[in-house]
Amino acid sequence: MKAKVLTVSEFQGIKKDDLGEKNFALLEEFIEENSGDDVEERLSDFLRISSHKGFKVIKPQNYVGVINIDNKVQIEILPKIDISDENKLRNLFLKMLSCLKEFKGKSFKNAQINDSKLPIYEVFIQMYLNEVQELLKRGLKSDYLAIEENLTFFKGKFLINQHLKHNIVRKDRFFMAYDEFHINRPENRLIKTTLLKLNKITTNGRNQLLAKRLLAEFEMVGQSMNIDKDFSLVKKDRNSQAYQSLMIWSQIFLKNKSFSTFKGTKNVNALLFSMEKIFEAYVAKKLKIQFPEWNVETQKKDKYLFDNPKSFRLKPDIYMSKDGSSIVLDTKWKKLNQDESKNYGISQVDMYQMYAYAYKYDVENIILIYPKHNEISFKNDYTTYVQKQNNVYNLKSIVITVFLYDLLKDEISLKKLTKVLSETSSQSE
């Protein structure tokens, strides 16, 4: 039976009628399961249950991705961006998503989405299958496996206790332990087991066909009989690098895990991503490409708000340096507004954070980047806040530029950002 796909955007309400009573109840259970105080990121903060006109409504908040309910309903949660075409929005979201570190493999990183109407969950399955294809092109890795077997000849180490147990009346057999170089290693068993599961749950004909074709290549590999044990045996050495991305995604598909701290239940699993992290990764990647002469670092974490004891670590999203000049950039996935009297909706907390970066990283220029949308505009897409140097009050010169990044017009935004960077870097020289 083909899964129903419900597509919503951030902050859009999901009603019981959208899912059906049983599926809505399963989603509620999933949220409650991940809402305890011991959970680092409480799912109830990102999927909020509220009431509207006497009816329960679930609203996604700043987390996007897909929630799979009992393989019967898939909820696609897309970012709130000013695009009326759902397929174009989905493609932009996937392009942004590919910038995350979780998409390390070649197929995950550079997936060519030919069908813009393909549901996100099917896209993830497609990317996994493509990555398995890439692995097969390089060849499945073999490893020495410890085998215990009742043989008609001596091979390896004679196991006398097992021999006495199994061969008390069989004089022609010898219970032996030996190592064999074989492709039936834990990583390959886990991939085969994942392929078997994906072949069952995918509703896309192309994915089903590819999954079956790939399974034929794993004929000499057994299915994992103990998933947890096999994952514990996965090697992380240089010879196993080709398996790294596949092992992460195999855990997601086999164990209902996610890249967030949310735990899947028996009937519900979620692949949810923070839009804060997606926006940061996307902008950082664009900057690395646009400004190759700059050293672009993300999540730099060598400074603390207090030095004794070192506490309250400061981690700007992006730190750029070149020829003795440095600039801190921070991204915020928030909607600003046009009300200048209220500072366009820029929170004081955000500005205090930028102020701390300026002092502790000893930079004069900070660029605070928000997504651009239809409800706000600045001249040339940026505005500045300046603190002039004042030796009397021991104040340094600080310039905070608030920049609106247009996700629909990357080239134009990067051109404007180049101008801002050139201006700020020349000021600090």
Side-chain angles (χ1 to χ4, degrees), residues 143-148 155-157 177-182:
D143 204 352
Y144 284 101
L145 307 175
I147 297 175
E148 294 182 1
K155 181 181 181 181
K157 182 182 178 181
Y178 60 94
D179 291 337
E180 185 170 270
F181 199 62
H182 201 278

Side-chain angles (χ1 to χ4, degrees), residues 101-118:
K101 64 181 180 180
E102 289 85 357
F103 294 80
K104 290 180 180 177
K106 182 178 178 181
S107 296
F108 293 123
K109 203 80 174 174
N110 303 310
Q112 297 298 315
I113 311 303
N114 299 318
D115 186 358
S116 61
K117 296 180 181 179
L118 202 62

Side-chain angles (χ1 to χ4, degrees), residues 249-376:
W249 282 82
S250 289
Q251 286 205 55
I252 287 166
F253 288 123
L254 292 178
K255 299 178 71 175
N256 282 359
K257 287 202 170 184
S258 183
F259 293 116
S260 61
T261 57
F262 309 142
K263 298 175 184 177
T265 64
K266 181 180 178 181
N267 301 102
V268 181
N269 64 293
L271 270 167
L272 296 174
F273 304 86
S274 163
M275 271 310 300
E276 286 279 356
K277 292 180 181 177
I278 294 173
F279 188 47
E280 173 200 323
Y282 185 72
V283 172
K285 181 179 179 180
K286 291 293 181 181
L287 290 172
K288 286 178 182 179
I289 295 171
Q290 182 75 8
F291 307 104
E293 71 279 10
W294 286 77
N295 180 34
V296 181
E297 302 174 68
T298 56
Q299 292 293 311
K300 192 176 178 67
K301 49 187 179 181
D302 57 349
K303 302 293 183 184
Y304 293 82
L305 189 59
F306 298 102
D307 299 319
N308 188 20
K310 284 188 174 180
S311 51
F312 301 100
R313 191 192 294 271
L314 296 171
K315 295 192 296 182
D317 292 337
I318 304 166
Y319 182 85
M320 295 178 64
S321 56
K322 181 189 74 168
D323 300 332
S325 298
S326 55
I327 300 171
V328 166
L329 302 94
D330 215 63
T331 57
K332 301 292 182 186
W333 185 256
K334 298 177 182 178
K335 287 190 73 172
L336 299 184
N337 58 60
Q338 202 61 43
D339 191 345
E340 188 175 353
S341 64
K342 294 185 179 179
N343 297 316
Y344 306 105
I346 302 169
S347 73
Q348 284 189 323
V349 173
D350 289 349
M351 280 301 189
Y352 292 160
Q353 185 182 24
M354 299 308 110
Y355 207 82
Y357 288 159
Y359 272 89
K360 300 304 290 190
Y361 280 90
D362 194 24
V363 295
E364 181 177 336
N365 294 286
I366 305 279
I367 301 177
L368 187 53
I369 303 176
Y370 291 89
K372 184 178 181 179
H373 53 84
N374 294 335
E375 296 169 25
I376 185 170

Side-chain angles (χ1 to χ4, degrees), residues 194 243 270 361 377 390 403:
T194 306
Y243 286 91
Y361 280 90
S377 62
N390 189 320
F403 185 86

